[in-house]
Short mmCIF file of all heavy atoms in Angstrom, two decimals:
data_model
loop_
_atom_site.label_atom_id
_atom_site.label_comp_id
_atom_site.label_asym_id
_atom_site.label_seq_id
_atom_site.Cartn_x
_atom_site.Cartn_y
_atom_site.Cartn_z
N VAL A 16 -77.14 -21.30 -10.90
CA VAL A 16 -76.62 -22.35 -11.77
C VAL A 16 -77.40 -22.39 -13.09
O VAL A 16 -76.80 -22.49 -14.18
CB VAL A 16 -76.67 -23.72 -11.07
CG1 VAL A 16 -76.25 -24.83 -12.03
CG2 VAL A 16 -75.76 -23.73 -9.84
N ALA A 17 -78.74 -22.31 -13.01
CA ALA A 17 -79.56 -22.34 -14.21
C ALA A 17 -79.26 -21.15 -15.12
O ALA A 17 -79.19 -21.29 -16.35
CB ALA A 17 -81.04 -22.35 -13.84
N ALA A 18 -79.06 -19.98 -14.53
CA ALA A 18 -78.75 -18.79 -15.32
C ALA A 18 -77.40 -18.92 -16.02
O ALA A 18 -77.25 -18.51 -17.18
CB ALA A 18 -78.77 -17.55 -14.42
N VAL A 19 -76.42 -19.48 -15.33
CA VAL A 19 -75.10 -19.67 -15.94
C VAL A 19 -75.19 -20.61 -17.14
O VAL A 19 -74.62 -20.34 -18.20
CB VAL A 19 -74.10 -20.22 -14.89
CG1 VAL A 19 -72.80 -20.63 -15.57
CG2 VAL A 19 -73.82 -19.17 -13.83
N VAL A 20 -75.91 -21.72 -16.97
CA VAL A 20 -76.06 -22.67 -18.07
C VAL A 20 -76.79 -22.02 -19.25
O VAL A 20 -76.38 -22.15 -20.41
CB VAL A 20 -76.81 -23.93 -17.60
CG1 VAL A 20 -77.08 -24.86 -18.77
CG2 VAL A 20 -76.02 -24.67 -16.53
N PHE A 21 -77.88 -21.30 -18.95
CA PHE A 21 -78.67 -20.66 -20.00
C PHE A 21 -77.85 -19.63 -20.78
O PHE A 21 -77.85 -19.63 -22.02
CB PHE A 21 -79.90 -19.99 -19.40
CG PHE A 21 -80.72 -19.21 -20.39
CD1 PHE A 21 -81.58 -19.86 -21.26
CD2 PHE A 21 -80.62 -17.82 -20.46
CE1 PHE A 21 -82.34 -19.15 -22.18
CE2 PHE A 21 -81.37 -17.10 -21.38
CZ PHE A 21 -82.22 -17.76 -22.24
N MET A 22 -77.14 -18.77 -20.08
CA MET A 22 -76.38 -17.71 -20.75
C MET A 22 -75.19 -18.26 -21.51
O MET A 22 -74.77 -17.68 -22.51
CB MET A 22 -75.94 -16.67 -19.73
CG MET A 22 -77.08 -15.88 -19.12
SD MET A 22 -78.05 -14.94 -20.32
CE MET A 22 -76.86 -13.68 -20.79
N ASN A 23 -74.62 -19.34 -21.03
CA ASN A 23 -73.51 -19.95 -21.77
C ASN A 23 -73.97 -20.57 -23.09
O ASN A 23 -73.19 -20.65 -24.04
CB ASN A 23 -72.82 -21.01 -20.91
CG ASN A 23 -71.69 -20.44 -20.07
OD1 ASN A 23 -70.56 -20.27 -20.52
ND2 ASN A 23 -72.00 -20.15 -18.82
N GLU A 24 -75.21 -21.02 -23.13
CA GLU A 24 -75.73 -21.65 -24.33
C GLU A 24 -76.47 -20.67 -25.23
O GLU A 24 -76.74 -21.00 -26.40
CB GLU A 24 -76.67 -22.80 -23.95
CG GLU A 24 -76.01 -23.92 -23.16
CD GLU A 24 -74.89 -24.58 -23.94
OE1 GLU A 24 -75.13 -24.98 -25.11
OE2 GLU A 24 -73.78 -24.71 -23.40
N ALA A 25 -76.82 -19.49 -24.74
CA ALA A 25 -77.61 -18.53 -25.51
C ALA A 25 -76.79 -17.94 -26.67
O ALA A 25 -75.58 -17.72 -26.55
CB ALA A 25 -78.11 -17.40 -24.61
N SER A 26 -77.47 -17.68 -27.79
CA SER A 26 -76.80 -17.10 -28.95
C SER A 26 -77.82 -16.34 -29.80
O SER A 26 -79.03 -16.60 -29.74
CB SER A 26 -76.11 -18.18 -29.80
OG SER A 26 -77.06 -19.11 -30.32
N ARG A 27 -77.34 -15.40 -30.58
CA ARG A 27 -78.15 -14.66 -31.55
C ARG A 27 -77.79 -15.18 -32.94
O ARG A 27 -76.64 -15.09 -33.37
CB ARG A 27 -77.85 -13.17 -31.45
CG ARG A 27 -78.39 -12.33 -32.60
CD ARG A 27 -79.89 -12.13 -32.54
NE ARG A 27 -80.38 -11.38 -33.67
CZ ARG A 27 -80.39 -10.06 -33.77
NH1 ARG A 27 -79.97 -9.31 -32.74
NH2 ARG A 27 -80.88 -9.45 -34.84
N ASN A 28 -78.77 -15.75 -33.63
CA ASN A 28 -78.55 -16.33 -34.94
C ASN A 28 -78.76 -15.29 -36.04
O ASN A 28 -79.84 -14.70 -36.15
CB ASN A 28 -79.47 -17.53 -35.16
CG ASN A 28 -79.16 -18.69 -34.24
OD1 ASN A 28 -78.02 -18.88 -33.82
ND2 ASN A 28 -80.17 -19.48 -33.89
N ILE A 29 -77.73 -15.08 -36.84
CA ILE A 29 -77.79 -14.15 -37.97
C ILE A 29 -78.03 -14.95 -39.24
O ILE A 29 -77.20 -15.82 -39.58
CB ILE A 29 -76.48 -13.34 -38.10
CG1 ILE A 29 -76.16 -12.63 -36.78
CG2 ILE A 29 -76.59 -12.35 -39.24
CD1 ILE A 29 -77.18 -11.63 -36.35
N PRO A 30 -79.13 -14.72 -39.98
CA PRO A 30 -79.38 -15.49 -41.21
C PRO A 30 -78.35 -15.17 -42.29
O PRO A 30 -77.99 -14.01 -42.49
CB PRO A 30 -80.79 -15.03 -41.62
CG PRO A 30 -80.95 -13.68 -40.99
CD PRO A 30 -80.18 -13.72 -39.71
N VAL A 31 -77.90 -16.20 -42.97
CA VAL A 31 -76.95 -16.06 -44.08
C VAL A 31 -77.48 -16.84 -45.28
O VAL A 31 -77.82 -18.02 -45.16
CB VAL A 31 -75.54 -16.56 -43.69
CG1 VAL A 31 -74.58 -16.43 -44.87
CG2 VAL A 31 -75.01 -15.81 -42.48
N GLN A 32 -77.57 -16.18 -46.41
CA GLN A 32 -78.05 -16.78 -47.65
C GLN A 32 -76.88 -16.92 -48.62
O GLN A 32 -76.11 -15.98 -48.83
CB GLN A 32 -79.15 -15.92 -48.28
CG GLN A 32 -79.74 -16.48 -49.56
CD GLN A 32 -80.61 -17.68 -49.33
OE1 GLN A 32 -81.36 -17.73 -48.36
NE2 GLN A 32 -80.51 -18.68 -50.21
N TYR A 33 -76.74 -18.11 -49.19
CA TYR A 33 -75.68 -18.36 -50.17
C TYR A 33 -76.29 -18.39 -51.57
O TYR A 33 -77.29 -19.10 -51.81
CB TYR A 33 -74.95 -19.66 -49.88
CG TYR A 33 -74.03 -19.56 -48.68
CD1 TYR A 33 -74.48 -19.90 -47.41
CD2 TYR A 33 -72.72 -19.11 -48.82
CE1 TYR A 33 -73.65 -19.78 -46.31
CE2 TYR A 33 -71.88 -19.00 -47.72
CZ TYR A 33 -72.35 -19.32 -46.48
OH TYR A 33 -71.52 -19.21 -45.39
N ALA A 34 -75.68 -17.62 -52.47
CA ALA A 34 -76.19 -17.53 -53.84
C ALA A 34 -75.92 -18.83 -54.59
O ALA A 34 -74.95 -19.55 -54.31
CB ALA A 34 -75.52 -16.36 -54.57
N ARG A 35 -76.77 -19.14 -55.54
CA ARG A 35 -76.62 -20.34 -56.34
C ARG A 35 -75.59 -20.08 -57.44
O ARG A 35 -75.65 -19.10 -58.18
CB ARG A 35 -77.96 -20.74 -56.96
CG ARG A 35 -77.91 -22.01 -57.78
CD ARG A 35 -79.30 -22.42 -58.23
NE ARG A 35 -80.15 -22.72 -57.08
CZ ARG A 35 -81.43 -23.04 -57.20
NH1 ARG A 35 -82.00 -23.10 -58.39
NH2 ARG A 35 -82.14 -23.30 -56.10
N ARG A 36 -74.61 -20.97 -57.56
CA ARG A 36 -73.57 -20.86 -58.58
C ARG A 36 -73.49 -22.16 -59.38
O ARG A 36 -73.73 -23.24 -58.85
CB ARG A 36 -72.20 -20.58 -57.93
CG ARG A 36 -72.11 -19.23 -57.23
CD ARG A 36 -70.80 -19.11 -56.49
NE ARG A 36 -70.75 -20.08 -55.40
CZ ARG A 36 -69.65 -20.29 -54.67
NH1 ARG A 36 -68.54 -19.64 -54.93
NH2 ARG A 36 -69.67 -21.19 -53.70
N ILE A 37 -73.15 -22.02 -60.66
CA ILE A 37 -73.03 -23.18 -61.54
C ILE A 37 -71.59 -23.25 -62.04
O ILE A 37 -71.08 -22.32 -62.66
CB ILE A 37 -74.00 -23.08 -62.74
CG1 ILE A 37 -75.44 -23.01 -62.23
CG2 ILE A 37 -73.82 -24.27 -63.68
CD1 ILE A 37 -76.47 -22.84 -63.33
N ARG A 38 -70.94 -24.37 -61.72
CA ARG A 38 -69.57 -24.61 -62.17
C ARG A 38 -69.48 -26.01 -62.74
O ARG A 38 -69.85 -26.99 -62.09
CB ARG A 38 -68.58 -24.46 -61.00
CG ARG A 38 -68.40 -23.04 -60.51
CD ARG A 38 -67.36 -22.99 -59.40
NE ARG A 38 -67.17 -21.62 -58.92
CZ ARG A 38 -66.34 -21.30 -57.92
NH1 ARG A 38 -65.62 -22.25 -57.33
NH2 ARG A 38 -66.24 -20.04 -57.54
N ALA A 39 -68.96 -26.06 -64.02
CA ALA A 39 -68.78 -27.34 -64.70
C ALA A 39 -70.08 -28.15 -64.74
O ALA A 39 -70.08 -29.37 -64.58
CB ALA A 39 -67.66 -28.16 -64.04
N GLY A 40 -71.18 -27.43 -64.93
CA GLY A 40 -72.48 -28.09 -65.03
C GLY A 40 -73.09 -28.51 -63.72
O GLY A 40 -74.16 -29.13 -63.69
#
C-alpha cells in the first residue's frame, strides 16, 4: 500500500525558465 501511494505521487520536476518581456511598459 505504501509503495502504491508513493509511486502515484512521485514525479520528476523539469526546471523551466521564462524570459522577461516588456509590453506597454
